[in-house]
Amino acid sequence: MTVAGVAFDTVVRGGTVVTAADTFAADIGIRDGRIVALGKDLADGDSEVDARGLLVMPGGIDSHVHIAQPSGEGIVMADDFESATRSALLGGNTTLMPFCLQEKGVGLREALNGYHALAEGNCYTDVSFHLIVSDPTPTVLGQEMPALAEEGYTSIKVFMTYEGLRLRDDEILATLDAARRAKQVVLVHCENEDAIRYLIGRREADGDIEPYHHATSRPVAAEREATHRALSLAEIVDTPVVIVHVSNREAMEEIGRARLRGQKIAGETCPQYLVLTAEDLKAGDFEGAKYVCSPPPRDKASQEACWQGLETGVFDLYSSDHCPFRFDDPAGKKSEKGQASFRWIPNGIPGVGTRLPILYSEGVAKGCIDVNRFVALTATNHAKLYGLYPRKGTIAIGSDADLALWDPASVRTIRNEDLAHGADYTPYEGMGITGWPITVLLRGELAVENGRLVTGKGKGTYLGRGRSALFG
Ligand code: URP
Ligand code: ZN
Ligand code: ZN
């Protein structure tokens, strides 16, 4: 049981290993939660996992997830850390990066204390927080951000939309400038709040209050303009940014142009922009509310553009933007105010458990992207851009043994009841899927076996992070 004096706790045997760079047949030897050997015919481990016929990939890293986030008066998110990480694990993920929301008047550290208390002892996957800065006071920018960066909180998010969260341009500039000094990468939600407010008012004045008008009041131009502005502000203070949840070609073109100017940036898209459209928001009986998220899903041409962006490298990241609310619930999509106008329908949809199977099935199985690109988009690039590489996001000697064993021949139908999350629906109900992550190991320990959870909550740990690769 030794290779170079190393005993194996576990050997994952006979699989096809897939990384962002290569595909090769190898056994994986694991000790103390880490990969210690890759090779043919490794000696026995204390336990063995049969991977014959399976693709062995790094566990998914979902770097855009909202869990237990305050979402307005009377509204409650459908997932806590237990249910979100459980659903994520069953969907092939081993690391989640949820947001810690700073509310106005509250310090970042105080906000973090609250989220850590909610997460501690409850997670099925490893977790690491991004900080949402909504109140960039001198103390936040000058003291908290640099101190927290030193402690491994190396990313922040700013919003250009949502009343109460959005920052003005001068605040965005000051926050970007502080982030560059602290070496924190900045995620930006790009939509023009003033234009959207105006359009929401117009729709309501015309009596257009149905969920579909969430989409018509958040047009492509509002996203494109804000994307251009965010990239320009980032250029002015030379700060690396990630443009998150990009929904359409025009915003993608802004990313392309900024790259040509030499800016250090990354782009992210999500399943909702690949397989949903604004037409889904027209579903009757208020069911359109199930698809209300921001930016909204667009049209077929935008879907095609986003697929191209995944293929060609406009996008580095594919994340869920999991932000779940129950549908049939006054604390969720069906709040009294939400039914009176789309303006009040909580924004966000569940997706942490379906992110990976959707991309595998629609992307890899249908021949749009190869399996190495799949790994890059779902794990490796997240680890690199958010300072977790090479501990996470790859299969290499010394990396954590976070592994998802995929059966490429498995054919399933997405059903909400199988997703183990807190929402009472999935936007992808009934979708046929080819390929599923049937077995998952978290730091070497079997967590999902043949589709069944075989671990308990609390196995996930908190991850401090290094600098983003965008800082060079
Ligand atoms: O609608 C969405 N995306 N809700 C989550 C919050 C955000 O904007 O990322
Ligand atoms: Zn956002
Ligand atoms: Zn989000």
Side-chain angles (χ1 to χ4, degrees):
M1 271 157 286
T2 60
V3 162
V6 175
F8 301 134
D9 299 330
T10 302
V11 174
V12 177
R13 192 175 297 284
T16 300
V17 174
V18 185
T19 69
D22 297 303
T23 306
F24 52 95
D27 306 331
I28 301 176
I30 298 167
R31 190 173 63 118
D32 296 333
R34 297 201 174 206
I35 296 168
V36 293
L38 287 166
K40 285 280 183 67
D41 302 321
L42 291 186
D44 291 347
D46 290 340
S47 72
E48 296 267 325
V49 177
D50 183 359
R52 283 173 300 171
L54 304 179
L55 300 174
V56 184
M57 306 201 209
I61 301 175
D62 194 341
S63 62
H64 190 147
V65 179
H66 304 265
I67 304 174
Q69 203 174 288
S71 304
E73 213 184 310
I75 302 296
V76 181
M77 244 178 213
D79 273 319
D80 56 18
F81 281 86
E82 180 179 344
S83 58
T85 56
R86 182 179 60 216
S87 182
L89 186 71
L90 284 162
N93 301 280
T94 47
T95 298
L96 294 193
M97 297 188 63
F99 293 93
C100 161
L101 169 66
Q102 176 205 22
E103 294 183 273
K104 287 220 192 299
V106 176
L108 294 177
R109 198 175 286 283
E110 189 183 341
L112 269 170
N113 290 341
Y115 281 86
H116 275 292
L118 293 175
E120 180 71 36
N122 287 318
C123 293
Y124 283 88
T125 65
D126 287 350
V127 294
S128 190
F129 293 128
H130 305 288
L131 307 166
I132 293 176
V133 175
S134 72
D135 196 4
T137 63
T139 308
V140 166
L141 300 182
Q143 294 174 30
E144 288 203 297
M145 278 173 51
L148 290 169
E150 284 298 312
E151 293 172 32
Y153 301 93
T154 51
S155 52
I156 64 169
K157 182 177 181 187
V158 296
F159 285 88
M160 300 172 85
T161 186
Y162 301 139
E163 211 47 68
L165 278 184
R166 62 87 69 97
L167 302 186
R168 296 188 316 267
D169 287 359
D170 59 340
E171 294 174 316
I172 294 174
L173 265 177
T175 306
L176 287 167
D177 210 9
R180 178 181 43 73
R181 284 194 297 272
K183 300 246 180 316
Q184 289 165 314
V185 66
V186 182
L187 296 75
V188 192
H189 180 135
C190 301
E191 287 186 291
N192 181 317
E193 174 66 13
D194 293 339
I196 289 165
R197 285 281 133 186
Y198 175 75
L199 289 175
I200 290 174
R202 284 278 306 274
R203 298 289 178 273
E204 286 181 341
D206 292 344
D208 292 330
I209 53 159
E210 302 81 15
Y212 175 62
H213 290 289
H214 172 77
T216 68
S217 60
R218 291 180 169 267
V220 164
E223 183 182 343
R224 182 197 66 221
E225 183 279 329
T227 304
H228 178 80
R229 187 156 36 101
L231 289 165
S232 301
L233 297 174
E235 181 186 1
I236 288 166
V237 289
D238 192 22
T239 302
V241 289
V242 180
I243 305 297
V244 293
H245 46 48
V246 175
S247 71
N248 68 87
R249 184 182 298 281
E250 294 179 24
M252 289 165 55
E253 286 168 353
E254 296 296 340
I255 292 173
R257 279 194 280 274
R259 280 212 175 98
L260 286 176
R261 287 193 295 270
Q263 285 187 244
K264 295 185 185 70
I265 59 172
E268 175 200 77
T269 194
C270 311
Q272 47 271 40
Y273 308 118
L274 300 176
V275 298
L276 301 178
T277 68
E279 293 297 300
D280 290 305
L281 279 80
K282 288 183 175 167
D285 289 334
F286 198 65
E287 299 241 342
K290 290 181 172 177
Y291 309 92
V292 165
C293 60
S294 295
R298 307 288 185 187
D299 57 10
K300 286 276 173 201
S302 299
Q303 285 184 352
E304 276 164 33
C306 289
W307 278 110
Q308 277 171 21
L310 289 173
E311 271 178 87
T312 59
V314 174
F315 296 124
D316 312 275
L317 301 172
Y318 165 78
S319 311
S320 68
D321 194 6
H322 179 76
C323 185
F325 299 96
R326 288 172 54 80
F327 172 65
D328 204 1
D329 193 328
K333 298 283 188 182
K334 276 195 178 169
S335 73
E336 208 176 302
K337 279 166 80 178
Q339 292 187 78
S341 168
F342 68 86
R343 176 198 288 262
W344 303 110
I345 298 171
N347 282 209
I349 60 177
V352 78
T354 46
R355 172 184 77 122
L356 296 175
I358 288 173
L359 188 66
Y360 189 90
S361 186
E362 294 293 308
V364 179
K366 291 190 177 169
C368 176
I369 56 170
D370 68 26
V371 77
N372 309 102
R373 182 90 186 118
F374 176 85
V375 169
L377 286 164
T378 59
T380 314
N381 292 350
H382 300 252
K384 288 182 175 175
L385 287 165
Y386 295 127
L388 287 170
Y389 192 82
R391 176 176 176 193
K392 301 288 189 185
T394 193
I395 296 177
I397 306 295
S399 297
D400 282 358
D402 292 342
L403 303 172
L405 278 54
W406 284 73
D407 178 356
S410 169
V411 176
R412 298 190 182 198
T413 303
I414 293 179
R415 299 278 177 226
N416 188 58
E417 67 215 41
D418 298 330
L419 294 178
H421 60 189
D424 57 352
Y425 79 98
T426 166
Y428 311 107
E429 185 74 31
M431 188 172 171
I433 295 287
T434 300
W436 200 271
I438 58 168
T439 293
V440 181
L441 286 83
L442 176 66
R443 280 177 278 101
E445 205 172 304
L446 209 50
V448 176
E449 190 174 24
N450 288 322
R452 283 191 17 259
L453 206 58
V454 292
T455 186
K457 69 172 185 175
K459 292 290 171 80
T461 60
Y462 189 78
L463 304 168
R465 288 176 286 119
R467 278 181 200 163
S468 169
L470 289 176
F471 279 99

